[in-house]
Amino acid sequence: METMKPPLRIALILVGAVVWALATSAASAQTIMGAGSSFAYPIYQKWFDAYHKLHPDVNFNYQPNGSGAGIAQYQSGVVDFGATDAPLTDAQLAASGRPTAQIPTVSGCIAMSYNLPNVRSGLRLSGSVIAEIYLGEIKQWNDKRIAALNPLIPLPNLPIVVAHRADSSGTTYVFTNYLASVSPEWKAKVGAAKSVNWPVGLGGNQNPGVAGIIKGSPGGFGYVELAYILQTHLPAATVENGSGNFVFPSVSSTALAVSAAAPQLKKDLRALTVSAPGMNTYPIVGLTYLLVPTNSPKPGVTAAMRAFLTWAMADGQQLAPSLAYAPLPPNVATANLKTIGATK
């Protein structure tokens, strides 16, 4: 039998070593499955990509199918973590099927956007007017109640095409809580939840669906997370806050609102941040949350998720403003680190 030549033998040994290394790497890699909030999708996608570059062995597969779907998939065990803009109650957490930590990650604001000829960003709207549009009581853009807020803007005689979320949505939860805070009629007739019986309007799935209705409909009007407004170049209204000032949706006005709500957040990180006090606060603001198991049957995934969240509370926060989200107040990030440290 012919003896293998040394160069060939060395080559085969090297190939075997490479195959073994690739197999070992694949075996040690973690793929973490998540689903939920489309409100937070832009920042989460940026975080997942940035973290993967630092830790190539950790991969994230996240589906932005809405808070309601994310909660349901997390509770059924389909995904490793859920994402929601509507925080779970104690009873809902207890019904999750596994011990769960609820981690606020960033804050964001919901912009009121419109599609009007020759009207750029800056249209003035009050909470009562927004509620009356969604109640179907204001139907035309040149209605005297809108015109009174915008005496220098020639408003068209155009029907308002109202857009809202069709899916169970944390964005809807924040928006309807805002409407309930400024309109007793809305609170009594419709209320606040991830999904409500809309008096009027067309439904779109996730934030991109609502943005698509607005952009594709002359006279369109709807609520969309600020990052999607910036991506689609849609105009945004200034909204009157509790101090009577008309404020643009922005990172700074969002941060001011969350800071103003700090006393309530100190008591409960699930506290609402809509209609926060302050001269320059934007009134339609909410936190977004991740649902993570504190003792997962997948210990490797749990450890990887804990390391990711620790990074997100520090370096990750610095990436938030670039996508129109506000970083967490330091005391909230510190509270999160304590919670993350308690996961097993």
Side-chain angles (χ1 to χ4, degrees), residues 219-245:
F221 178 69
Y223 61 98
V224 185
E225 198 276 323
L226 180 58
Y228 293 92
I229 295 293
L230 299 177
Q231 289 175 6
T232 55
H233 305 290
L234 284 167
T238 61
V239 180
E240 187 179 25
N241 64 18
S243 297
N245 289 332

Side-chain angles (χ1 to χ4, degrees), residues 86-176:
L88 273 60
T89 64
D90 290 341
Q92 289 172 319
L93 287 170
S96 293
R98 44 185 164 171
T100 296
Q102 188 163 228
I103 309 291
T105 52
V106 292
S107 59
C109 67
I110 297 170
M112 304 309 305
S113 185
Y114 45 88
N115 180 355
L116 294 175
N118 304 316
V119 180
R120 299 179 179 179
S121 286
L123 186 74
R124 288 185 167 195
L125 295 174
S126 65
S128 60
V129 162
I130 295 169
E132 286 168 330
I133 291 173
Y134 272 87
L135 285 165
E137 296 171 2
I138 296 178
K139 303 178 184 295
Q140 296 288 127
W141 276 109
N142 63 345
D143 185 282
K144 62 182 181 180
R145 286 162 285 190
I146 303 176
L149 298 172
N150 300 277
L152 300 179
I153 297 177
L155 294 167
N157 183 18
L158 191 66
I160 300 174
V161 180
V162 178
H164 58 73
R165 289 286 288 269
D167 53 321
S168 179
S169 156
T171 308
T172 296
Y173 171 84
V174 175
F175 179 60
T176 55

Side-chain angles (χ1 to χ4, degrees), residues 40-52 60-64 308 311 319 323 325:
Y41 176 66
I43 184 62
Y44 287 165
Q45 192 60 47
K46 190 175 186 71
W47 279 359
F48 297 153
D49 289 344
Y51 192 78
H52 177 69
F60 289 91
N61 185 336
Y62 180 77
Q63 299 300 315
F308 164 73
W311 172 87
L319 300 177
L323 288 173
Y325 299 89

